[in-house]
Amino acid sequence: LGGIFLKIWRFLEKARKLAIAEPKKVIHGLKVGLAISIVSLFYYMRPLYEGVGGNAMWAIMTVVVVFESTIGATFCKCINRVIGTSLAGLLGVGVHWIASHSSKNIEPIILGASVFLLASAATFSRFLPTIKAKFDYGVLIFILTFSFVSISGYRVDKLFEIAHERFSTIAIGTSLCIIVSMVFCPIWAGGELHQLICRNLEKLAYSLDDCVAEYFKDNKTAAVATEEDCSKKMLGYKCVLNSKATEESMVRFARWEPSHGRFNFRHPWKQYLKIGASMRNSAYCIETLNSFVNSKIQAPAHLKRHFKRICLRLSTTSSNVLQELTTTMKTTTKSSKIELLVGEMSFAVEELQNAMKSLPNHLMTTPSSSSSSTSEEANIEPVTKFTMSPFVEILPLTTLVSMLIQNAA
Amino acid sequence: LGGIFLKIWRFLEKARKLAIAEPKKVIHGLKVGLAISIVSLFYYMRPLYEGVGGNAMWAIMTVVVVFESTIGATFCKCINRVIGTSLAGLLGVGVHWIASHSSKNIEPIILGASVFLLASAATFSRFLPTIKAKFDYGVLIFILTFSFVSISGYRVDKLFEIAHERFSTIAIGTSLCIIVSMVFCPIWAGGELHQLICRNLEKLAYSLDDCVAEYFKDNKTAAVATEEDCSKKMLGYKCVLNSKATEESMVRFARWEPSHGRFNFRHPWKQYLKIGASMRNSAYCIETLNSFVNSKIQAPAHLKRHFKRICLRLSTTSSNVLQELTTTMKTTTKSSKIELLVGEMSFAVEELQNAMKSLPNHLMTTPSSSSSSTSEEANIEPVTKFTMSPFVEILPLTTLVSMLIQNAA
């Protein structure tokens, strides 16, 4: 029994931590509660109850199912629900009309066959990428409503009344959802996406810095505690690696949202996907880099020393560029410093390339060169990385961000 | 008008292609149609219709909402739905009992407050990772049912009857779903996962082979058509990069499935996640490699020639290991050849390391060395990759697969 209490306690502890870390999620919970309470007024007040004829259940259902944490997602689901319901309702009434004008014997056959065919086709269409991305929920509702309407038609006489009631309750539910989600502490998918990208950019900058610093650290005997602390920051790029699906769904929802705050209706959300992709590319580079930090084969100390200054400098300049990009993103204004920083970075790249050119001579002069060259690759590796990574990551980013700024201005 | 027809035609064309490529999805569509048709018999047959008292709607709804393409997912949703409904039903009846024993004035207040609090708390709990992974749908159903029951209690007298009917229709719907999905062409999440992993392993092997071959190709003037054809294969590793979410959800569902075919109930599905993770690691390596194939900085020809034989050999041996692992996975039996192949690969790694050691001398003897050393890194890069990638990818894979085989045998 104590074990169960301990589990519940741990669960509550986790919930408390999440609530403190992300108060938006608590607010979302409260908003759902509020919306359901408002919609349940239809039960408590007699005039309202009689107005919708006891079908208030559908309004509650709509609220519970449709309410999502961001406005774009709520909007998308509402539209899906309304379109799916009305389309299926019309089709269902049509099929019912055909069936009722045929002989009594084949009526259930016509109804059954139409349900079977349409449900199969609609379910299959949910696998098509275009449908899945935009209308997955709508197709589900279509199947549901069509089955209801065409089958109920066999037993229920007042089909039109039912359809009308169902439609009005859904309309009540969806409009309530949209109003509540927009009036009380609105959470915009676009804003969330923007913040996510900013956070990821920042994490990339920190990871890059820390990775290189870690690689060139002289004494590996530092306390384990600080290493763990450091690796937490270093592993920030892992979030970037796995953020593809989140970004895509957020962009999808953000495109539904009306203009709000700094974002217009036709804000170039697709640019964010491109930024995300190039960020993921640089995260791959950092991943490879990081595997060198942890690998047992280490470059000889003298080579490390030789490259330390230039590499550190390059990583600092490029992470400066990343941080400057972050502030640029945050304020959505063009930064004057960015070109200076990019220039500094390109200079560091050139310097490194020069250092690379002088490497063979260096190898010849050091006596231990031929025996250490196996592990020398571990040094050249990050160096190559650095000459590569700025090109891979910075060039598309700067062009993208400047495009973005032009669009936003 | 012609434009619309063209769009519809293109859409149908896409659907046809998908249907031919993955007949399983068509089968799933037909299964859903079948299940809905069977459940709609409750409407057409008078004795059945009277048995569930016109609430057959809920059975249809359950089928439409719960039926998923794999058995594990269907099972998971069914259990979620049943648990969520019964828990919420009990709680709702309890709250209703408390409210009905209090004075008439505060009855709606008690009901409303309980709905508000529970809905808020439950919605918030959906953000917790543990709940989200396993019981997301169940919590949604919990909110829905609790709101229904506690609010309906204010207007409807026969609360127990409603609860009973609702429960029985849901039971009918869920059991029908499970039976249909298991009897007609069953699609197991576990089997799908297994195939996905096998396919991805194969793709990795091809990508590795093609990437290296592409890098060391002498004449870059091959026809564009063949290059496109080749790059299609080369980019197979991209699928591996983005398969994390799919794998995780499949593992989650596979754990719900009873034993079937070669897979026991307690099949070590978590191992698949580890295999997936190490596959993604090697895909990152191939990604970096591939960026060198496309980069403008190319190593000088004589260096390429120097390493060509060894590098190609290493890539062949390691892709052989990958292919052997694929067949091992497919047959779930321990292969006798695998150790031989791993041995060959380690030999190739050593050979390469020796070649690396002799590199500085080679650089000294070639006259163009000091000027070409900037781009020499582009050559050493893949070489390093190869010495790294086998260690990164093969060692965990072999240990994992052998663990897997021991578990499966």
Side-chain angles (χ1 to χ4, degrees):
Chain A
L1 199 74
I4 293 170
F5 271 111
L6 199 70
K7 263 193 183 169
I8 292 174
W9 178 252
R10 268 198 210 130
F11 179 79
L12 289 178
E13 187 65 19
K14 256 191 219 161
R16 202 179 59 87
K17 268 181 198 159
L18 183 70
I20 290 168
E22 298 183 63
K24 272 184 187 172
K25 293 185 172 171
V26 183
I27 291 171
H28 171 63
L30 293 176
K31 277 160 76 179
V32 172
L34 184 71
I36 294 177
S37 306
I38 292 176
V39 91
S40 61
L41 286 180
F42 282 94
Y43 266 88
Y44 299 137
M45 294 186 189
R46 186 157 287 277
L48 283 178
Y49 183 73
E50 270 150 20
V52 294
N55 267 323
M57 191 183 77
W58 288 109
I60 295 177
M61 181 143 178
T62 306
V63 170
V64 172
V65 173
V66 151
F67 212 116
E68 292 279 327
S69 57
T70 59
I71 294 175
T74 310
F75 210 72
C76 175
K77 267 200 158 177
C78 286
I79 287 181
N80 263 305
R81 191 169 180 107
V82 170
I83 290 178
T85 308
S86 26
L87 215 67
L90 285 177
L91 251 177
V93 170
V95 168
H96 175 66
W97 187 83
I98 293 172
S100 64
H101 282 249
S102 58
S103 80
K104 199 70 193 167
N105 281 338
I106 64 166
E107 191 183 335
I109 295 171
I110 289 177
L111 290 175
S114 71
V115 167
F116 177 76
L117 286 178
L118 271 172
S120 301
T123 306
F124 174 69
S125 83
R126 285 174 78 190
F127 286 114
L128 289 167
T130 39
I131 297 283
K132 195 169 181 60
K134 285 185 193 162
F135 302 111
D136 191 51
Y137 182 67
V139 173
L140 185 75
I141 291 296
F142 174 85
I143 301 172
L144 194 62
T145 310
F146 181 75
S147 315
F148 278 179
V149 172
S150 68
I151 293 171
S152 307
Y154 189 65
R155 290 280 169 201
V156 183
D157 300 321
K158 301 174 191 165
L159 197 61
F160 274 101
E161 261 178 47
I162 287 184
H164 171 74
E165 266 172 13
R166 204 180 129 88
F167 192 79
S168 63
T169 46
I170 285 178
I172 290 169
T174 49
S175 48
L176 190 79
C177 277
I178 291 174
I179 290 168
V180 168
S181 68
M182 284 178 78
V183 169
F184 300 95
C185 310
I187 300 167
W188 302 94
E192 294 286 299
L193 175 64
H194 192 84
Q195 279 179 24
L196 178 76
I197 295 274
C198 287
R199 262 204 312 274
N200 280 353
L201 263 176
E202 231 169 12
K203 276 180 193 163
L204 267 190
Y206 281 130
S207 297
L208 185 59
D209 251 4
D210 287 3
C211 248
V212 180
E214 179 75 15
Y215 185 75
F216 286 106
K217 215 160 64 180
D218 290 328
N219 52 337
K220 289 268 175 190
T221 50
V224 182
T226 50
E227 273 213 349
E228 262 175 19
D229 186 56
C230 170
S231 74
K232 227 183 198 174
K233 258 194 188 172
M234 261 171 65
L235 296 179
Y237 70 89
K238 296 244 178 203
C239 302
V240 183
L241 288 181
N242 297 324
S243 59
K244 192 180 183 227
T246 324
E247 279 166 22
E248 275 175 3
S249 66
M250 277 194 176
V251 165
R252 210 160 59 230
F253 295 139
R255 295 170 77 195
W256 287 99
E257 288 176 349
S259 90
H260 61 281
R262 295 165 301 171
F263 307 108
N264 298 72
F265 176 57
R266 294 207 169 279
H267 196 73
W269 295 115
K270 289 224 161 178
Q271 302 284 0
Y272 284 84
L273 282 187
K274 284 184 200 159
I275 297 177
S278 49
M279 270 163 55
R280 236 164 290 124
N281 264 333
S282 19
Y284 294 148
C285 286
I286 298 179
E287 161 87 31
T288 325
L289 244 177
N290 201 24
S291 71
F292 281 98
V293 173
N294 297 325
S295 79
K296 280 164 206 150
I297 315 164
Q298 291 288 341
H302 68 274
L303 271 176
K304 271 197 179 183
R305 241 175 292 126
H306 179 69
F307 279 111
K308 187 176 178 180
R309 195 185 53 82
I310 304 174
C311 281
L312 280 180
R313 174 132 172 240
L314 179 55
S315 82
T316 318
T317 48
S318 43
S319 76
N320 275 346
V321 170
L322 281 176
Q323 269 163 5
E324 187 58 30
L325 280 179
T326 316
T327 50
T328 312
M329 283 284 288
K330 271 183 188 156
T331 54
T332 23
T333 48
K334 196 154 184 164
S335 160
S336 52
K337 267 159 67 190
I338 195 88
E339 271 166 31
L340 190 74
L341 287 169
V342 171
E344 257 178 35
M345 193 186 64
S346 323
F347 183 69
V349 171
E350 257 174 47
E351 210 176 5
L352 184 62
Q353 281 179 338
N354 289 332
M356 292 292 297
K357 272 182 196 158
S358 66
L359 176 65
N361 307 324
H362 194 260
L363 274 177
M364 280 183 260
T365 50
T366 49
S368 65
S369 68
S370 66
S371 70
S372 71
S373 56
T374 315
S375 45
E376 172 219 288
E377 73 219 27
N379 194 330
I380 297 182
E381 167 66 33
V383 170
T384 331
K385 226 48 325 142
F386 292 156
T387 49
M388 284 305 292
S389 72
F391 288 121
V392 171
E393 94 201 14
I394 303 305
L395 289 186
L397 266 180
T398 41
T399 49
L400 275 173
V401 169
S402 57
M403 273 168 75
L404 195 74
I405 292 157
Q406 281 173 8
N407 270 314
Chain B
L1 201 75
I4 293 170
F5 270 113
L6 199 70
K7 264 192 183 169
I8 293 174
W9 178 252
R10 268 196 211 132
F11 179 79
L12 289 177
E13 188 63 20
K14 256 190 218 161
R16 202 178 59 88
K17 268 181 198 159
L18 183 70
I20 292 168
E22 297 183 63
K24 271 183 188 170
K25 295 186 171 170
V26 182
I27 291 171
H28 171 62
L30 293 176
K31 276 160 77 179
V32 172
L34 184 72
I36 294 177
S37 305
I38 292 176
V39 91
S40 61
L41 285 181
F42 282 94
Y43 266 89
Y44 300 136
M45 294 188 190
R46 185 156 288 277
L48 284 177
Y49 183 73
E50 270 150 21
V52 293
N55 267 321
M57 192 184 76
W58 288 109
I60 295 177
M61 181 144 176
T62 306
V63 170
V64 172
V65 173
V66 150
F67 212 116
E68 293 280 326
S69 57
T70 59
I71 294 176
T74 310
F75 209 72
C76 176
K77 268 201 156 176
C78 285
I79 288 180
N80 263 305
R81 192 170 178 106
V82 170
I83 291 178
T85 307
S86 25
L87 215 67
L90 286 176
L91 252 176
V93 170
V95 168
H96 175 68
W97 186 83
I98 294 172
S100 64
H101 282 250
S102 58
S103 80
K104 198 70 193 169
N105 281 337
I106 63 164
E107 191 183 337
I109 294 170
I110 290 178
L111 290 175
S114 71
V115 167
F116 176 77
L117 286 178
L118 271 172
S120 301
T123 306
F124 174 69
S125 82
R126 285 175 78 190
F127 286 115
L128 289 166
T130 39
I131 296 283
K132 194 169 182 61
K134 283 184 194 161
F135 302 112
D136 191 51
Y137 183 67
V139 173
L140 185 75
I141 291 296
F142 174 84
I143 302 172
L144 194 63
T145 310
F146 181 75
S147 314
F148 277 179
V149 172
S150 69
I151 293 171
S152 308
Y154 189 65
R155 291 278 168 200
V156 182
D157 301 321
K158 300 174 190 167
L159 198 61
F160 275 102
E161 261 178 47
I162 287 184
H164 172 74
E165 267 172 12
R166 204 180 128 87
F167 192 80
S168 63
T169 45
I170 285 178
I172 290 169
T174 48
S175 47
L176 190 79
C177 277
I178 292 174
I179 291 168
V180 168
S181 68
M182 283 178 79
V183 169
F184 300 95
C185 310
I187 301 167
W188 302 94
E192 294 286 301
L193 175 64
H194 192 83
Q195 279 179 23
L196 178 76
I197 295 273
C198 286
R199 263 204 312 276
N200 280 352
L201 263 176
E202 231 169 12
K203 276 180 192 161
L204 266 190
Y206 282 130
S207 297
L208 184 61
D209 251 4
D210 287 2
C211 249
V212 180
E214 179 75 12
Y215 185 76
F216 286 107
K217 214 160 65 180
D218 290 327
N219 53 336
K220 289 266 175 190
T221 51
V224 182
T226 50
E227 272 212 351
E228 264 176 15
D229 186 57
C230 171
S231 74
K232 226 182 198 173
K233 259 192 187 173
M234 261 171 65
L235 297 179
Y237 70 90
K238 297 245 176 201
C239 301
V240 182
L241 288 180
N242 297 324
S243 61
K244 192 178 182 226
T246 324
E247 277 166 23
E248 275 175 3
S249 66
M250 276 192 176
V251 165
R252 210 160 58 230
F253 295 140
R255 296 170 76 196
W256 286 99
E257 288 176 349
S259 89
H260 61 280
R262 294 165 301 170
F263 307 109
N264 297 72
F265 176 58
R266 294 207 169 278
H267 196 71
W269 296 115
K270 289 225 162 176
Q271 300 286 358
Y272 284 83
L273 282 186
K274 284 184 200 160
I275 297 177
S278 49
M279 268 162 56
R280 237 165 289 123
N281 264 333
S282 19
Y284 295 147
C285 287
I286 297 180
E287 162 87 31
T288 325
L289 243 178
N290 201 25
S291 71
F292 281 99
V293 173
N294 297 324
S295 79
K296 281 164 205 152
I297 316 164
Q298 290 290 340
H302 69 275
L303 270 176
K304 271 199 179 181
R305 241 174 292 125
H306 179 71
F307 280 111
K308 187 176 177 180
R309 197 184 54 81
I310 303 173
C311 281
L312 281 180
R313 173 129 174 244
L314 179 54
S315 82
T316 318
T317 48
S318 43
S319 76
N320 275 347
V321 170
L322 281 176
Q323 269 164 4
E324 187 59 30
L325 279 179
T326 316
T327 50
T328 312
M329 283 284 288
K330 271 183 187 157
T331 54
T332 23
T333 48
K334 195 155 184 165
S335 159
S336 51
K337 268 158 69 191
I338 195 87
E339 272 166 33
L340 190 74
L341 286 170
V342 171
E344 257 177 34
M345 194 186 62
S346 326
F347 183 69
V349 171
E350 258 174 48
E351 209 176 5
L352 184 62
Q353 282 178 337
N354 288 333
M356 292 291 297
K357 271 183 198 159
S358 67
L359 177 66
N361 308 323
H362 194 260
L363 273 177
M364 280 184 261
T365 50
T366 50
S368 65
S369 67
S370 64
S371 69
S372 73
S373 56
T374 314
S375 44
E376 172 219 289
E377 72 218 28
N379 194 329
I380 296 179
E381 168 64 35
V383 170
T384 331
K385 224 52 323 153
F386 292 157
T387 49
M388 284 305 293
S389 71
F391 288 121
V392 171
E393 94 201 13
I394 302 306
L395 288 187
L397 267 180
T398 40
T399 49
L400 275 173
V401 170
S402 58
M403 273 168 75
L404 195 75
I405 292 157
Q406 281 173 7
N407 270 316

